[in-house]
Amino acid sequence: MLNLGVNIDHVATVRQARAAQVPNILAAAVAAQKGGANGITVHLREDRRHIQDSDVIYLKKKIVMKLNLEMACSTEIVQFACRVRPADVCLVPEKRKELTTEGGLDVCKHINRISAVTAQLKKMGIRVSHFIDPVAEQVKSAKAAGADCVELHTGSYALAYGKGRYVKALRDLTQSAELAQYLGMKVNAGHGLDYQNLKEIVKITGLQELNIGFSIVARAIFVGLEQAVHEMKSVINNCAR
Ligand code: PXP
């Protein structure tokens, strides 16, 4: 079964626009669950531009679904994750000025630091995923660094899809998914996925989880979050092999 993790960062983006109490993050998680989400994903960025520490603590306490925390390898955030202990952590690269996570983690280049952080989190019983570009060397390095799972960055695919030139990007994702499974890792995917471009992604054999945020929250403005998640689940269920 292909699971859907709903990223609710941009619910918090709206709240932070006025430094207000609404929209309520737990209410968003509950609506996503009613719509069929299998998990909730949040990214605690170093600049705290949307999700706050208190959101992560509150969600961990209150939701019945799995919580997946996206985060950079910075010491302060790693210590926070070890205290809160979400079910999953996805290690991502982070640049202060980026609008969103632009590329995958360069595990090949930073293998010592990433291995140490991965081990530290795993010791706390957290399942660790590495968010990487669909490149064989990165998949092999994630395995060498101790990742339980890779999340394949679908951003390049999503951009190419919009221009009708996505075959190579899809092949890179498919081959990386095959390699990761061969090496014994779980395979997730995410970034830039929407109700259209998702249709080819769900056919990739062995994918276990998709993490989708922006397109769902954008749709939710018109139909509500529960319905927006329900529609995304329907695309997944109708198009999956
Ligand atoms: N997966 C990871 C690791 C991410 O960093 C993000 C963006 O926060 C997503 C998935 C969701 O991407 P989008 O909001 O484009 O659906």
Side-chain angles (χ1 to χ4, degrees):
M1 189 177 103
L2 182 50
N3 286 331
L4 173 63
V6 175
N7 180 316
I8 55 174
D9 290 350
H10 296 309
V11 173
T13 301
V14 174
R15 182 192 62 195
Q16 294 309 114
R18 285 292 174 95
Q21 300 300 314
V22 292
N24 181 279
I25 210 77
L26 181 61
V30 169
Q33 184 179 11
K34 282 191 187 154
N38 305 100
I40 293 296
T41 294
V42 290
H43 185 172
L44 185 68
R45 295 189 72 100
E46 289 176 47
D47 62 8
R48 308 300 199 269
R49 69 174 70 157
H50 39 52
I51 292 294
Q52 307 296 304
D53 299 37
S54 53
D55 292 326
V56 183
I57 293 166
Y58 193 52
L59 287 168
K60 168 71 193 338
K61 223 182 263 174
K62 296 283 183 187
I63 62 172
V64 289
M65 287 177 293
K66 179 172 77 74
L67 180 64
N68 173 31
L69 176 63
E70 295 171 1
M71 51 175 257
C73 280
S74 70
T75 304
E76 174 239 345
I77 303 228
V78 173
Q79 285 170 352
F80 174 78
C82 286
R83 280 200 307 278
V84 179
R85 294 203 213 182
D88 291 357
V89 156
C90 181
L91 296 178
V92 302
E94 214 173 278
K95 293 188 208 123
R96 283 289 163 103
K97 289 198 176 142
E98 68 189 359
L99 286 178
T100 181
T101 317
E102 280 167 358
L105 200 60
D106 191 344
V107 191
C108 307
K109 191 168 168 191
H110 303 290
I111 188 137
N112 291 341
R113 172 73 183 145
I114 293 170
S115 300
V117 169
T118 301
Q120 199 179 341
L121 294 165
K122 283 173 75 168
K123 216 156 76 185
M124 303 310 289
I126 299 168
R127 182 164 54 182
V128 181
S129 169
H130 293 173
F131 186 49
I132 55 168
D133 289 326
V135 173
E137 289 315 309
Q138 295 294 349
V139 178
K140 289 182 203 161
S141 294
K143 177 68 185 176
D148 302 297
C149 172
V150 286
E151 179 166 329
L152 299 175
H153 195 312
T154 49
S156 299
Y157 161 82
L159 282 175
Y161 189 92
K163 296 181 188 134
R165 291 200 293 264
Y166 60 86
V167 175
K168 180 181 178 305
L170 189 60
R171 195 171 53 229
D172 291 345
L173 288 164
T174 305
Q175 288 174 351
S176 293
E178 277 169 11
L179 177 59
Q181 287 170 82
Y182 174 76
L183 295 175
M185 291 183 288
K186 179 176 176 258
V187 190
N188 299 339
H191 207 279
L193 296 177
D194 63 28
Y195 296 85
Q196 288 304 320
N197 65 27
L198 184 61
K199 292 175 184 167
E200 299 296 330
I201 294 293
V202 298
K203 294 179 188 154
I204 297 174
T205 307
L207 274 188
Q208 294 201 18
E209 184 179 302
L210 298 169
N211 284 304
I212 308 180
F214 180 78
S215 61
I216 292 177
V217 175
R219 175 94 182 122
I221 289 172
F222 298 104
V223 299
L225 189 55
E226 181 179 336
Q227 176 66 17
V229 172
H230 175 73
E231 290 175 11
M232 194 61 87
K233 276 296 278 195
S234 300
V235 176
I236 294 172
N237 294 336
N238 293 337
C239 299
R241 282 176 197 256

